[in-house]
Amino acid sequence: SLIIIKGAKDVPVPEILPKRAVMWVKPTVLPRSVASYPIGMKPILPEFLVDSTELNAVKSRLASYEHMQLPWMEEYLLAMGEGENRLHRKQWEFAVIAQALDRHGKLATGKTGLGFAVGLEPLATYFAKRGARVTVSDMPMQQGNQGDWAHTAQHSDNIDKVWRAGVMPLEEFRARANFRAIDMNNIPSDLMQGQYDFVWSCGSLEHVGRAQKSLEFIINSLRCLKPGGVAAHTTEFLLNDKVTHEDTYLNFFTEREIRDWVAVIESMGHTVLPLEFAAGTIVNVDALAEHRMDDHIQLMDTHGTRRLIHTSISLIIIKGAKDVPVPEILPKRAVMKGCAYA
C-alpha cells in the first residue's frame, strides 16, 4: 500500500523514473518429488527439469520462464502489437519465431514468407512491417474444426482479419500481404516450388493429425523454401509422459517423436538447429489446470483419467540444397489414444 498526504500545492511533474534493471521474482516452484503431485498426475520427467545455458542462442527448444525474461522478448512483442510480456507461452512462440527469422536475415525488404494457420496472430503484420512480402493462410471455412476456431476468434478468412492494428497501416499491409485458404495436409503444389525465403506455423501442426501427419506437413513446408530458407514451427510438447497422446484433433508430442522427426528431416539434407529440452522453472501446474486463457508457460490438461503437463517447443529448420525423396517416415510407436494405450 502507498499512503500519501497531499502537499500544499501542485508542482510540475519531474522526470518520471530512470530505467532500472527489472528484478524478476520466480513463481511458486512445483516440488520435484513424485509424492507432491496431485493424485493421477505423473511428475514432470526429471530430464526436463534443467535450465538452459544458452538463452540468447537461436535453437530448437522448450518454452521456459527464464527464456521469457530476456529483454529482446518484450522488444519483439511490443513491435508486433502484443503489448507487454505477460509470461504466456503463446507470446513466447511469437517471439522465438520472430527471433529465428530475424537472426537469419529473413525479415527484410525483398524477402518472402508463407504462414500456415495464422488465425489472428500478429506475426504476419510484423513481418510485413519489416519489409517482407507474406502469403498468409488459414483452414478453408468449410473444413474440419474451423467453426471452433472461428467461435474462439482464432480463425481468419481474409487479409483484413489477419492485420494487427497499430503495427502498420492497413493499406500498406494489403500491399505486402495476400491471403489463401490452405489445408495444411494438402498444401497446393504451386506453393511448393521452392520460392519462399521463410515459412512459419505457430501452435498449429499438433492439429493436422497424428505424429506422421505432422512430420509430413513439416517436410512439405520445407518444399516451399528456397535452399537456405528457414522454417520456424512451434507445437505442443508433453513433459510428464514418454507415451504420446494422439487423437485426430490434438496431439502432445514427446521427446522421442521430436527426435524421430529430426532424424528424418536431417536425413533429407536439411539442418535442424540444436535441440534443447530444458523446461527451467516449473510453476504449480495444478493451480493452472484447465485455465487455458490464463498466463502460463506450462499447462495441465485432463484427458480421461490422465493429467498431462505440456508446454510449447520450437523447431527451427534450415532448408538443404535440394528436395529429396521422403524416406520411410516414422517407426510405429506406442501412443495414447483417448487416454488408452494403443
Side-chain angles (χ1 to χ4, degrees), residues 14 29 43 76 82 105 135 214 279 314 336:
V29 178
Y76 280 121
E82 264 295 295
T135 297
S214 298
S314 63
M336 187 171 68

Side-chain angles (χ1 to χ4, degrees), residues 6 22 24 90 92 99 127 161 188 195 223 242 262 264 271 273 283 299 315 323:
K6 170 70 181 280
V22 176
W24 174 54
K90 183 55 66 175
W92 176 86
Q99 181 216 27
F127 297 159
K161 282 188 178 180
Q195 66 266 53
R223 296 187 184 282
K242 293 186 177 181
V262 170
V264 172
T271 301
L273 295 196
V283 303
L299 183 66
L315 292 172
D323 291 311

Side-chain angles (χ1 to χ4, degrees), residues 17-30:
L17 282 177
K19 190 167 184 180
R20 302 290 192 190
V22 176
M23 183 179 71
W24 174 54
V25 179
K26 284 193 174 186
T28 302
V29 178
L30 184 68

Side-chain angles (χ1 to χ4, degrees), residues 31 234 253 338 342:
T234 60
F253 303 113

Side-chain angles (χ1 to χ4, degrees), residues 9-142:
K9 60 180 180 179
D10 291 312
V11 297
V13 179
E15 184 179 344
I16 304 298
L17 282 177
K19 190 167 184 180
R20 302 290 192 190
V22 176
M23 183 179 71
W24 174 54
V25 179
K26 284 193 174 186
T28 302
V29 178
L30 184 68
R32 295 184 177 183
S33 69
V34 174
S36 68
Y37 284 77
I39 294 172
M41 183 190 291
K42 288 186 177 181
I44 291 175
L45 298 175
E47 55 263 40
F48 304 138
L49 293 173
V50 295
D51 295 329
S52 172
T53 57
E54 296 179 295
L55 287 172
N56 282 303
V58 181
K59 288 184 173 184
S60 302
R61 64 166 78 235
L62 298 183
S64 72
Y65 277 94
E66 288 78 5
H67 204 213
M68 282 294 293
Q69 297 303 310
L70 299 177
W72 56 260
M73 281 275 177
E74 185 154 296
E75 290 172 8
Y76 280 121
L77 294 174
L78 291 173
M80 64 180 68
E82 264 295 295
E84 66 180 8
N85 185 347
R86 305 192 317 273
L87 298 178
H88 193 296
R89 70 188 179 113
K90 183 55 66 175
Q91 288 188 318
W92 176 86
E93 293 181 39
F94 295 156
V96 296
I97 289 173
Q99 181 216 27
L101 299 178
D102 198 8
R103 294 276 187 92
H104 286 88
K106 304 304 180 184
L107 303 183
T109 302
K111 301 298 184 181
T112 57
L114 171 61
F116 296 96
V118 297
L120 305 183
E121 68 189 31
L123 291 174
T125 311
Y126 174 65
F127 297 159
K129 174 185 177 181
R130 292 287 302 271
R133 292 189 174 274
V134 292
T135 297
V136 294
S137 69
D138 212 340
M139 185 187 302
M141 282 296 291
Q142 69 277 13

Side-chain angles (χ1 to χ4, degrees), residues 275-334:
L275 288 164
E276 185 173 66
F277 296 98
T281 297
I282 307 297
V283 303
N284 188 336
V285 289
D286 189 42
L288 291 173
E290 310 300 341
H291 296 296
R292 298 188 187 294
M293 303 311 292
D294 292 350
D295 297 337
H296 66 276
I297 299 296
Q298 298 89 19
L299 183 66
M300 190 277 288
D301 269 294
T302 300
H303 290 272
T305 60
R306 291 186 172 270
R307 304 175 82 178
L308 305 176
I309 304 171
H310 57 106
T311 189
S312 301
I313 188 171
S314 63
L315 292 172
I316 312 301
I317 307 165
I318 311 300
K319 169 74 177 281
K322 60 181 180 179
D323 291 311
V324 297
V326 180
E328 183 177 345
I329 303 295
L330 284 176
K332 189 169 183 179
R333 302 290 197 187

